[in-house]
Amino acid sequence: EEISSKVLEVGDEMIVDVPSRCATTLMQILARFPLTHSVTWLIVVLYAAIRETSARNQLILKIIIEAWLLYSFGKYMITGVTSLYGLQRLRENDAKRADWWAQDAKSSRDEKNIIDEIKYEDVIHVVIIPNYKESVATLRRTLGTLAWQRDACEQLVVVLAMEARDPLARSTAASLENEFSTAFRSLFTTLHVLKSGEVGGKSSNENWAARCAKYQLVDTEKIDPSRIIFTVCDADTYFHPSYFGALSHAYVTANPQVRANSFWQGATQFYPNSDQVPLLCKVRYALLSVGFLGQLANPLHYRLPFAVYSLSLDLVLKAGYWDPAVIPEDWHMFLRAFYATKGTARVLPLFFPIGCDCVIDKTPFKTLYACYQQATRWQWGAIDIGFIAVHSTCFTIYTAYKQIAVTLAASEHHLYYPLMWIVIAAAPWLVDDWATGWRFQLWLAFFISNFFFLNLLDTSYRQILSTSAKIRTGRLLLASRISPHEEFINHTTKQFTDQPISMQQQNKKLPAKNISNTSFSSEGSSYDEEAVPLSPSVYLSEMVDEDVLHGAAKGAGGPHANKLDDFSIKRTLGFIAFPIADLLLFVFPSLHAHLRMAISTQFNYIVAPKFTAKLTVCGQALHKQKSLLAAAKKNPANIQLTSLSSPPSYEAFSTLA
């Protein structure tokens, strides 16, 4: 199967910024610092635990340990409280109509009497989806949530960033283009060829895709670069239906200088398939989800981008695109922008959930190991501490506080957090005073209160995602007024795809309901009967499976979001194991990453497995299809077509698909 002409093969010229020998040597030396730091503090902890010391040394150790405990307890309390605030912001934004963001952006411009600034409808979103050997089903779910964005067909430009070394890259891209080509303003494909000096991974792929997209939109289509926002995501990302509307709103209402130097970060969470992973992984991913939300909502926390983030094309150009020679691309891209703008780059919160899948392998043990490997890869970002140190000379004494702030933020996550848990867990064995009395009671109360508080945050987060999905599903069914089967497909696709007219013509000619704008409640419905523009997803090709449409409508919670709020005694009691989950899937991977960096700064990127039972079956079917295709090419005469006496049923066709 061949891709159409939507493959971008020309990009901005790549100028390799080779660091000096001195800078390279310094970064290699500093790459060993994380291990030195960790080993030093572990020696202090072990010394306090096993050695009988003098009263003076015991006092010094007590001060050090209690300083760590004060920092740890304070960090947990602040993050927990700000998580509650973050959940409230998620609820508020989810309750707003999908068209509220466009209307408010216009009214804000009118109030400020802005004439020549960028308007809401002028914004172009370029969504880069880097992937390597990802299944069509995984990418289809991500594209489905993008298609449900209110302004997808006018404002979204999707780039499938494929790797040329992937043997199925072209067929995967062609299949998705066949299904989703009419859902977006544009759907392009790039094929990244790994070049000398590049490291295979997300960053190098994004670098090439971004260069191609910029060349196509700015140099070929002559679009003003200040109108363009780049968003990078994983292949298994679930966006809230209003995410890009809110991003456009934030962009056009911001000061021009601010928006040109800003990243926007949503609330990354791992709930879409968290109920399919082993208990320890489930607890760890829940901790990551509520913890990241708390950091995002904390005005005192120095925010750094994580996994899925957005930034203006102007800032991409200032930073010199993504670095093709690194693995940890999110923080590293921020640091490139940070130093390119002399410290004015910042990360602004966008309070919408963004779903990402947990890693899943064929067995629970393999899944646990895959989760461990993923954590090790994330902690490889500690290598950026050397990058920060090398670039510290570009700051003056008057802007040194910005350098100190970013240094502390990176050090806190990669150096302090892993040791924090060791000190907390071992406190009664490190200092005698913490083994008895009120200090021991405080230590015990910390773990007990965390158990209940984590359950509260986890349950609240799940309820937000589930309730939001149920309401949107209700809107979908209410708007169609029919059963969600083949009649729904006829209602939402066939009547709009029978005539070969463009998307813009369809929007002008066809009155329809916008199911993302309707008001629906499980307690009582109030459906807006006025005809408004239909959600872009209904213009998808008839090849799109109905389950994809329904799954995408559920938004950031994933296809099974409706069931996220189901009560589970196993999950509730499982939070007792949160110290073990953090130890096995955060502390140990961090120390492992530090050790590997000390041995070698080279890192071989391994694609995280995300298998499910269904995907395994699909993989077996795909293998059979490939075998049949190979046989057909060798000897077409042996391949016979059998006519069907009657069309297959819907269930039979779904099984076959």
Side-chain angles (χ1 to χ4, degrees):
E1 186 175 8
E2 294 295 330
I3 304 181
S4 70
S5 59
K6 295 294 185 179
V7 179
L8 302 181
E9 298 179 339
V10 181
D12 256 12
E13 182 182 358
M14 191 181 303
I15 301 175
V16 181
D17 184 16
V18 181
S20 65
R21 182 175 297 181
C22 179
T24 302
T25 303
L26 182 58
M27 282 191 286
Q28 289 179 345
I29 292 173
L30 290 172
R32 277 74 184 173
F33 174 72
L35 180 65
T36 305
H37 175 274
S38 298
V39 169
T40 300
W41 280 107
L42 286 174
I43 290 174
V44 171
V45 170
L46 289 173
Y47 183 82
I50 65 177
R51 286 289 300 271
E52 291 291 337
T53 60
S54 63
R56 178 175 174 274
N57 289 342
Q58 182 68 19
L59 179 62
I60 294 173
L61 287 171
K62 179 182 176 182
I63 293 173
I64 293 174
I65 299 300
E66 290 190 344
W68 270 101
L69 291 172
L70 181 64
Y71 160 74
S72 305
F73 291 164
K75 200 70 182 178
Y76 260 84
M77 289 176 61
I78 293 172
T79 303
V81 172
T82 53
S83 294
L84 291 174
Y85 170 70
L87 290 171
Q88 180 59 31
R89 292 296 306 274
L90 294 183
R91 289 191 189 93
E92 292 172 357
N93 286 340
D94 186 62
K96 294 174 181 175
R97 289 166 55 101
D99 58 354
W100 182 90
W101 304 98
Q103 294 173 2
D104 187 71
K106 184 179 184 303
S107 61
S108 297
R109 288 173 54 84
D110 294 341
E111 290 174 5
K112 298 176 183 178
N113 198 24
I114 298 174
I115 300 175
D116 57 349
E117 290 292 338
I118 299 172
K119 299 177 183 178
Y120 177 94
E121 58 270 19
D122 295 334
V123 176
I124 303 296
H125 295 281
V126 178
V127 185
I128 299 177
I129 310 176
N131 66 96
Y132 176 57
K133 294 186 177 180
E134 294 285 355
S135 68
V136 174
T138 299
L139 291 165
R140 184 184 286 123
R141 289 193 293 270
T142 299
L143 290 174
T145 63
L146 290 173
W148 272 103
Q149 302 298 312
R150 178 179 178 272
D151 304 304
C153 55
E154 293 90 12
Q155 294 184 321
L156 260 63
V157 176
V158 178
V159 181
L160 296 172
M162 320 295 287
E163 291 285 358
R165 64 186 188 275
D166 180 358
L168 296 178
R170 287 182 174 273
S171 60
T172 298
S175 176
L176 294 170
E177 184 184 324
N178 187 38
E179 298 177 39
F180 290 94
S181 59
T182 57
F184 308 111
R185 177 189 177 102
S186 300
L187 177 59
F188 296 115
T189 299
T190 59
L191 295 168
H192 173 236
V193 178
L194 199 62
K195 301 177 180 64
S196 176
E198 294 186 349
V199 176
K202 187 177 177 182
S203 189
S204 59
N205 197 348
E206 287 170 351
N207 175 64
W208 174 245
R211 290 176 184 275
C212 292
K214 183 266 178 184
Y215 186 88
Q216 171 67 27
L217 298 176
V218 177
D219 299 338
T220 303
E221 299 182 21
K222 306 302 180 183
I223 298 175
D224 182 358
S226 63
R227 295 173 52 195
I228 300 175
I229 306 174
F230 274 49
T231 297
V232 297
C233 66
D234 293 334
D236 53 349
T237 304
Y238 304 91
F239 288 97
H240 188 282
S242 296
Y243 177 82
F244 287 95
L247 180 56
S248 296
H249 175 276
Y251 190 74
V252 300
T253 57
N255 178 283
Q257 185 64 26
V258 172
R259 69 174 174 233
N261 296 311
S262 294
F263 287 68
W264 282 270
Q265 176 68 59
T268 305
Q269 44 83 17
F270 297 89
Y271 285 110
N273 67 338
S274 63
D275 289 335
Q276 302 173 25
V277 299
L279 182 62
L280 285 179
C281 297
K282 185 183 303 182
V283 171
R284 176 59 189 157
Y285 281 120
L287 287 168
L288 280 172
S289 301
V290 298
F292 185 75
L293 177 62
Q295 292 175 350
L296 193 69
N298 184 0
L300 301 178
H301 183 80
Y302 193 94
R303 302 184 187 99
L304 292 166
F306 176 56
V308 183
Y309 55 92
S310 305
L311 68 161
S312 67
L313 174 56
D314 288 336
L315 189 54
V316 171
L317 296 176
K318 289 177 187 176
Y321 294 94
W322 282 260
D323 190 341
V326 300
I327 290 294
E329 51 82 37
D330 41 17
W331 283 28
H332 194 80
M333 182 56 179
F334 173 80
L335 293 174
R336 286 169 70 88
F338 179 83
Y339 291 114
T341 59
K342 301 295 183 182
T344 59
R346 67 178 75 181
V347 177
L348 301 176
L350 203 61
F351 288 102
F352 280 94
I354 299 176
C356 293
D357 278 340
C358 308
V359 294
I360 297 182
D361 214 325
K362 298 176 182 178
T363 66
F365 180 79
K366 287 184 177 180
T367 298
L368 193 65
Y369 181 65
C371 188
Y372 179 93
Q373 284 186 312
Q374 183 187 55
T376 304
R377 185 173 68 253
W378 285 346
Q379 290 306 107
W380 193 261
I383 204 167
D384 278 333
I385 294 175
F387 183 83
I388 292 171
V390 168
H391 287 79
S392 61
T393 55
C394 68
F395 283 80
T396 66
I397 186 122
Y398 302 104
T399 57
Y401 72 94
K402 296 179 179 179
Q403 172 71 10
I404 294 172
V406 75
T407 303
L408 289 176
S411 300
E412 182 179 57
H413 181 82
H414 290 295
L415 302 181
Y416 305 149
Y417 282 177
L419 293 171
M420 181 177 72
W421 259 115
I422 296 177
V423 174
I424 291 178
W429 293 271
L430 301 179
V431 182
D432 292 340
D433 290 349
W434 282 85
T436 57
W438 67 269
R439 287 184 175 86
F440 179 76
Q441 294 173 359
L442 177 64
W443 177 82
L444 197 60
F446 169 79
F447 285 95
I448 296 174
S449 61
N450 261 275
F451 166 75
F452 288 105
F453 202 54
L454 286 172
N455 266 299
L456 171 65
L457 294 173
D458 177 71
T459 302
S460 300
Y461 212 147
R462 286 172 170 271
Q463 286 178 343
I464 290 173
L465 296 172
S466 182
T467 302
S468 179
K470 290 175 181 177
I471 290 175
R472 280 192 296 274
T473 304
R475 289 172 181 165
L476 184 62
L477 299 180
L478 191 60
S480 63
R481 301 292 179 88
I482 47 179
S483 106
H485 283 287
E486 55 269 16
E487 294 90 347
F488 172 76
I489 295 296
N490 292 334
H491 176 74
T492 57
T493 58
K494 187 175 181 180
Q495 76 177 76
F496 300 107
T497 54
D498 280 345
Q499 300 179 3
I501 58 178
S502 67
M503 182 69 64
Q504 288 76 13
Q505 289 174 314
Q506 289 175 352
N507 285 335
K508 291 177 182 177
K509 293 183 178 181
L510 298 173
K513 302 285 189 290
N514 185 338
I515 48 189
S516 64
N517 284 343
T518 57
S519 175
F520 178 82
S521 171
S522 57
E523 298 176 358
S525 63
S526 55
Y527 176 57
D528 184 3
E529 293 289 348
E530 294 186 9
V532 290
L534 194 63
S535 177
S537 63
V538 303
Y539 297 105
L540 298 177
S541 162
E542 291 181 355
M543 295 295 292
V544 179
D545 186 84
E546 142 204 12
D547 291 337
V548 175
L549 293 176
H550 279 274
K554 296 174 184 177
H560 309 292
N562 290 21
K563 299 180 180 179
L564 283 177
D565 61 348
D566 291 351
F567 177 74
S568 169
I569 188 66
K570 180 181 178 181
R571 184 178 69 242
T572 301
L573 296 178
F575 278 99
I576 295 175
F578 79 91
I580 300 173
D582 252 353
L583 186 68
L584 292 180
L585 300 175
F586 177 59
V587 176
F588 287 172
S590 299
L591 299 178
H592 186 184
H594 297 171
L595 177 62
R596 288 187 61 181
M597 276 185 283
I599 297 172
S600 172
T601 56
Q602 299 297 316
F603 186 91
N604 295 323
Y605 188 89
I606 300 175
V607 179
K610 296 186 178 178
F611 295 119
T612 62
K614 291 184 178 180
L615 288 182
T616 303
V617 173
C618 291
Q620 294 170 354
L622 177 61
H623 178 73
K624 292 181 180 179
Q625 288 181 11
K626 288 166 65 179
S627 301
L628 288 172
L629 286 172
K633 288 180 179 179
K634 290 181 179 179
N635 193 352
N638 289 341
I639 304 299
Q640 297 180 358
L641 296 177
T642 303
S643 61
L644 295 173
S645 57
S646 61
S649 65
Y650 175 81
E651 291 76 10
F653 182 78
S654 298
T655 304
L656 179 62

